[in-house]
Amino acid sequence: MPNAKSVVYVNLDPAIRQRFLMLMSNIPTMDEAIAPIRNVERQQIFSALFSDFIDSNGLGGRLRAEALINLACIDIYEHLGSSGANERTAILPTWVLDRVTEYIECNLESDVSLSVLAEIAGLSEFHFLRMFTASTGKTPYQFVLTRRFVRARDLLVNSDETIAQIAYQVGFSSQSHLTSMFKKMTGVTPGKFRRES
């Protein structure tokens, strides 16, 4: 059906709910139904992240799950909190963005945490996510995934390491995760890319 719409209902874990309410103390209640996500760009980002998370059987670690939770929280905040939806989101100062991206580049092989990135930026996770996404056009998870892809592509061309070794070296959970991501980004498998390069 061309006009059919999918709806996802989110019931926040009590610990996440409490953490959110502590960050956003100006929100009086979360006990009301939330209107569908109005921001089309954020809806597309959330849908892509959520679909990718499901398609990969939950692979991607903490950063992907945190990104999904925080995107949902941003929309809840804007719906219940204020006129935030009409305000232009501030971007990170260049020197802060440089520190965060340098950390990401040096730690691609590890499970990069949203809380650590926010701490480096000196912001709450909520505000860091908004400002990072406004600054780069990507959520932290999408940014990390892109950097992992670029590093893997470079290693495929410039090293003799196996595809499995490269996958683990750049932070993918398995060779199949790298292969799936690589094919999605380029249309070919890492092996074929290496042979044709």
Side-chain angles (χ1 to χ4, degrees):
M1 300 175 88
N3 292 328
K5 293 186 178 181
S6 297
V7 177
V8 175
Y9 292 94
V10 178
N11 185 15
L12 294 178
D13 176 272
I16 293 172
R17 175 188 168 109
Q18 190 59 37
R19 183 171 154 212
F20 177 73
L21 287 172
M22 286 173 62
L23 285 171
M24 301 294 128
S25 56
N26 61 324
I27 295 179
T29 179
M30 289 178 64
D31 296 326
E32 61 178 88
I34 306 301
I37 294 175
R38 297 173 310 280
N39 181 306
V40 174
E41 180 181 339
R42 191 160 58 248
Q43 185 179 37
Q44 291 168 342
I45 290 170
F46 184 81
S47 295
L49 282 171
F50 193 69
S51 297
D52 194 42
F53 191 71
I54 292 170
D55 291 346
S56 67
N57 293 318
L59 293 175
R62 184 177 14 177
L63 191 62
R64 183 190 290 187
E66 288 173 342
L68 289 168
I69 291 167
N70 278 284
L71 281 171
C73 286
I74 287 170
D75 204 68
I76 293 168
Y77 171 69
E78 290 183 349
H79 179 74
L80 295 179
S82 67
S83 59
N86 299 321
E87 297 171 3
R88 185 174 177 272
T89 302
I91 61 172
L92 293 171
T94 303
W95 68 272
V96 173
L97 185 59
D98 289 346
R99 284 179 61 194
V100 170
T101 55
E102 181 181 349
Y103 175 86
I104 290 170
E105 289 294 333
C106 294
N107 293 279
L108 284 177
E109 74 288 348
S110 61
D111 187 12
V112 179
S113 163
L114 183 65
S115 61
V116 170
L117 297 180
E119 186 178 325
I120 290 168
L123 296 165
S124 69
E125 294 175 27
F126 177 84
H127 287 99
F128 172 74
L129 178 66
R130 292 182 75 183
M131 294 173 75
F132 185 90
T133 305
S135 301
T136 65
K138 297 180 180 189
T139 64
Y141 170 73
Q142 291 171 320
F143 186 88
V144 169
L145 200 60
T146 300
R147 297 311 306 154
R148 285 177 174 159
F149 165 76
V150 169
R151 178 86 53 87
R153 186 188 62 201
D154 292 345
L155 288 170
L156 285 167
V157 174
N158 299 311
S159 80
D160 294 327
E161 295 179 25
T162 67
I163 294 171
Q165 288 171 324
I166 290 171
Y168 292 116
Q169 186 176 334
V170 301
F172 285 99
S173 55
S174 64
Q175 179 177 337
S176 63
H177 189 205
L178 168 62
T179 299
S180 170
M181 173 65 188
F182 207 90
K183 194 164 184 183
K184 189 181 286 187
M185 298 282 277
T186 65
V188 297
T189 64
K192 185 171 183 183
F193 176 84
R194 176 176 260 175
R195 287 190 299 274
E196 293 177 350
S197 296

mmCIF file of all heavy atoms in Angstrom, residues 23-44:
data_model
loop_
_atom_site.group_PDB
_atom_site.id
_atom_site.type_symbol
_atom_site.label_atom_id
_atom_site.label_comp_id
_atom_site.label_asym_id
_atom_site.label_seq_id
_atom_site.Cartn_x
_atom_site.Cartn_y
_atom_site.Cartn_z
ATOM 1 N N LEU A 23 18.031 15.174 32.858
ATOM 2 C CA LEU A 23 18.660 16.066 31.873
ATOM 3 C C LEU A 23 17.703 17.177 31.455
ATOM 4 O O LEU A 23 18.114 18.310 31.222
ATOM 5 C CB LEU A 23 19.072 15.274 30.619
ATOM 6 C CG LEU A 23 20.300 14.387 30.728
ATOM 7 C CD1 LEU A 23 20.430 13.522 29.473
ATOM 8 C CD2 LEU A 23 21.554 15.220 30.910
ATOM 9 N N MET A 24 16.442 16.844 31.328
ATOM 10 C CA MET A 24 15.453 17.782 30.810
ATOM 11 C C MET A 24 14.430 18.106 31.888
ATOM 12 O O MET A 24 13.257 17.756 31.805
ATOM 13 C CB MET A 24 14.741 17.163 29.595
ATOM 14 C CG MET A 24 15.662 16.806 28.470
ATOM 15 S SD MET A 24 16.393 18.284 27.769
ATOM 16 C CE MET A 24 18.111 17.828 27.819
ATOM 17 N N SER A 25 14.883 18.769 32.950
ATOM 18 C CA SER A 25 14.027 19.005 34.113
ATOM 19 C C SER A 25 12.860 19.943 33.814
ATOM 20 O O SER A 25 11.905 20.013 34.586
ATOM 21 C CB SER A 25 14.859 19.562 35.263
ATOM 22 O OG SER A 25 15.533 20.729 34.837
ATOM 23 N N ASN A 26 12.914 20.668 32.699
ATOM 24 C CA ASN A 26 11.819 21.587 32.381
ATOM 25 C C ASN A 26 10.624 20.883 31.746
ATOM 26 O O ASN A 26 9.615 21.503 31.456
ATOM 27 C CB ASN A 26 12.307 22.707 31.455
ATOM 28 C CG ASN A 26 12.818 22.174 30.132
ATOM 29 O OD1 ASN A 26 13.421 21.102 30.091
ATOM 30 N ND2 ASN A 26 12.620 22.915 29.066
ATOM 31 N N ILE A 27 10.728 19.583 31.532
ATOM 32 C CA ILE A 27 9.591 18.842 30.969
ATOM 33 C C ILE A 27 8.732 18.336 32.118
ATOM 34 O O ILE A 27 9.194 17.580 32.961
ATOM 35 C CB ILE A 27 10.074 17.667 30.099
ATOM 36 C CG1 ILE A 27 10.807 18.206 28.881
ATOM 37 C CG2 ILE A 27 8.899 16.807 29.663
ATOM 38 C CD1 ILE A 27 11.352 17.145 27.972
ATOM 39 N N PRO A 28 7.484 18.757 32.192
ATOM 40 C CA PRO A 28 6.665 18.420 33.351
ATOM 41 C C PRO A 28 6.240 16.959 33.411
ATOM 42 O O PRO A 28 6.104 16.402 34.468
ATOM 43 C CB PRO A 28 5.440 19.328 33.191
ATOM 44 C CG PRO A 28 5.374 19.620 31.728
ATOM 45 C CD PRO A 28 6.791 19.613 31.227
ATOM 46 N N THR A 29 6.006 16.341 32.275
ATOM 47 C CA THR A 29 5.511 14.961 32.290
ATOM 48 C C THR A 29 5.893 14.248 31.002
ATOM 49 O O THR A 29 6.099 14.872 29.970
ATOM 50 C CB THR A 29 3.976 14.919 32.446
ATOM 51 O OG1 THR A 29 3.571 13.542 32.439
ATOM 52 C CG2 THR A 29 3.264 15.641 31.315
ATOM 53 N N MET A 30 6.012 12.940 31.110
ATOM 54 C CA MET A 30 6.211 12.130 29.904
ATOM 55 C C MET A 30 5.084 11.110 29.800
ATOM 56 O O MET A 30 5.187 10.142 29.086
ATOM 57 C CB MET A 30 7.559 11.410 29.963
ATOM 58 C CG MET A 30 8.737 12.339 29.788
ATOM 59 S SD MET A 30 10.310 11.478 29.916
ATOM 60 C CE MET A 30 10.220 10.398 28.507
ATOM 61 N N ASP A 31 4.018 11.337 30.539
ATOM 62 C CA ASP A 31 2.914 10.380 30.577
ATOM 63 C C ASP A 31 1.817 10.731 29.595
ATOM 64 O O ASP A 31 0.639 10.588 29.884
ATOM 65 C CB ASP A 31 2.347 10.295 31.992
ATOM 66 C CG ASP A 31 3.363 9.747 32.970
ATOM 67 O OD1 ASP A 31 4.158 8.886 32.567
ATOM 68 O OD2 ASP A 31 3.357 10.192 34.130
ATOM 69 N N GLU A 32 2.201 11.212 28.440
ATOM 70 C CA GLU A 32 1.202 11.491 27.421
ATOM 71 C C GLU A 32 1.699 10.927 26.091
ATOM 72 O O GLU A 32 2.888 10.718 25.901
ATOM 73 C CB GLU A 32 0.951 12.991 27.294
ATOM 74 C CG GLU A 32 2.159 13.801 26.891
ATOM 75 C CD GLU A 32 1.846 15.284 26.735
ATOM 76 O OE1 GLU A 32 1.923 16.016 27.720
ATOM 77 O OE2 GLU A 32 1.537 15.683 25.605
ATOM 78 N N ALA A 33 0.751 10.661 25.199
ATOM 79 C CA ALA A 33 1.130 10.136 23.894
ATOM 80 C C ALA A 33 1.909 11.193 23.124
ATOM 81 O O ALA A 33 1.597 12.372 23.177
ATOM 82 C CB ALA A 33 -0.115 9.730 23.114
ATOM 83 N N ILE A 34 2.931 10.761 22.419
ATOM 84 C CA ILE A 34 3.766 11.670 21.647
ATOM 85 C C ILE A 34 3.326 11.635 20.186
ATOM 86 O O ILE A 34 3.136 10.567 19.610
ATOM 87 C CB ILE A 34 5.258 11.259 21.729
ATOM 88 C CG1 ILE A 34 5.693 11.142 23.195
ATOM 89 C CG2 ILE A 34 6.138 12.222 20.973
ATOM 90 C CD1 ILE A 34 5.520 12.407 23.985
ATOM 91 N N ALA A 35 3.168 12.807 19.607
ATOM 92 C CA ALA A 35 2.823 12.874 18.187
ATOM 93 C C ALA A 35 3.963 12.273 17.369
ATOM 94 O O ALA A 35 5.099 12.225 17.820
ATOM 95 C CB ALA A 35 2.606 14.333 17.788
ATOM 96 N N PRO A 36 3.690 11.815 16.163
ATOM 97 C CA PRO A 36 4.752 11.261 15.324
ATOM 98 C C PRO A 36 5.868 12.282 15.104
ATOM 99 O O PRO A 36 5.658 13.483 15.201
ATOM 100 C CB PRO A 36 4.033 10.964 13.999
ATOM 101 C CG PRO A 36 2.595 10.874 14.348
ATOM 102 C CD PRO A 36 2.386 11.793 15.520
ATOM 103 N N ILE A 37 7.066 11.771 14.823
ATOM 104 C CA ILE A 37 8.217 12.643 14.581
ATOM 105 C C ILE A 37 7.879 13.592 13.443
ATOM 106 O O ILE A 37 7.489 13.181 12.360
ATOM 107 C CB ILE A 37 9.467 11.804 14.237
ATOM 108 C CG1 ILE A 37 9.879 10.971 15.450
ATOM 109 C CG2 ILE A 37 10.614 12.705 13.796
ATOM 110 C CD1 ILE A 37 11.017 10.013 15.183
ATOM 111 N N ARG A 38 8.015 14.894 13.696
ATOM 112 C CA ARG A 38 7.646 15.892 12.704
ATOM 113 C C ARG A 38 8.825 16.296 11.827
ATOM 114 O O ARG A 38 8.649 16.707 10.704
ATOM 115 C CB ARG A 38 7.098 17.142 13.413
ATOM 116 C CG ARG A 38 5.833 16.863 14.187
ATOM 117 C CD ARG A 38 5.407 18.067 15.001
ATOM 118 N NE ARG A 38 6.479 18.624 15.799
ATOM 119 C CZ ARG A 38 6.888 18.145 16.974
ATOM 120 N NH1 ARG A 38 6.310 17.088 17.469
ATOM 121 N NH2 ARG A 38 7.858 18.719 17.644
ATOM 122 N N ASN A 39 10.025 16.226 12.362
ATOM 123 C CA ASN A 39 11.200 16.634 11.628
ATOM 124 C C ASN A 39 11.546 15.537 10.616
ATOM 125 O O ASN A 39 11.978 14.451 10.986
ATOM 126 C CB ASN A 39 12.353 16.869 12.612
ATOM 127 C CG ASN A 39 13.613 17.321 11.935
ATOM 128 O OD1 ASN A 39 14.099 16.670 11.021
ATOM 129 N ND2 ASN A 39 14.162 18.428 12.405
ATOM 130 N N VAL A 40 11.352 15.809 9.328
ATOM 131 C CA VAL A 40 11.515 14.784 8.289
ATOM 132 C C VAL A 40 12.943 14.260 8.245
ATOM 133 O O VAL A 40 13.167 13.052 8.142
ATOM 134 C CB VAL A 40 11.095 15.341 6.905
ATOM 135 C CG1 VAL A 40 11.394 14.335 5.812
ATOM 136 C CG2 VAL A 40 9.625 15.705 6.911
ATOM 137 N N GLU A 41 13.915 15.178 8.358
ATOM 138 C CA GLU A 41 15.318 14.752 8.312
ATOM 139 C C GLU A 41 15.619 13.802 9.468
ATOM 140 O O GLU A 41 16.241 12.755 9.280
ATOM 141 C CB GLU A 41 16.236 15.966 8.377
ATOM 142 C CG GLU A 41 17.718 15.597 8.327
ATOM 143 C CD GLU A 41 18.602 16.830 8.422
ATOM 144 O OE1 GLU A 41 18.129 17.943 8.142
ATOM 145 O OE2 GLU A 41 19.763 16.658 8.789
ATOM 146 N N ARG A 42 15.160 14.147 10.671
ATOM 147 C CA ARG A 42 15.415 13.286 11.826
ATOM 148 C C ARG A 42 14.643 11.981 11.694
ATOM 149 O O ARG A 42 15.120 10.925 12.087
ATOM 150 C CB ARG A 42 15.058 14.012 13.116
ATOM 151 C CG ARG A 42 15.548 13.271 14.326
ATOM 152 C CD ARG A 42 15.674 14.118 15.567
ATOM 153 N NE ARG A 42 14.438 14.749 15.957
ATOM 154 C CZ ARG A 42 14.229 16.070 15.910
ATOM 155 N NH1 ARG A 42 15.164 16.882 15.488
ATOM 156 N NH2 ARG A 42 13.084 16.567 16.293
ATOM 157 N N GLN A 43 13.450 12.032 11.113
ATOM 158 C CA GLN A 43 12.675 10.820 10.894
ATOM 159 C C GLN A 43 13.438 9.871 9.969
ATOM 160 O O GLN A 43 13.497 8.670 10.212
ATOM 161 C CB GLN A 43 11.317 11.178 10.286
ATOM 162 C CG GLN A 43 10.397 9.990 10.129
ATOM 163 C CD GLN A 43 9.057 10.409 9.543
ATOM 164 O OE1 GLN A 43 9.005 11.285 8.687
ATOM 165 N NE2 GLN A 43 7.993 9.787 9.997
ATOM 166 N N GLN A 44 14.052 10.431 8.929
ATOM 167 C CA GLN A 44 14.826 9.606 7.996
ATOM 168 C C GLN A 44 16.056 9.007 8.682
ATOM 169 O O GLN A 44 16.377 7.834 8.489
ATOM 170 C CB GLN A 44 15.244 10.428 6.777
ATOM 171 C CG GLN A 44 14.079 10.803 5.888
ATOM 172 C CD GLN A 44 14.430 11.839 4.842
ATOM 173 O OE1 GLN A 44 15.428 12.544 4.937
ATOM 174 N NE2 GLN A 44 13.591 11.952 3.825
#
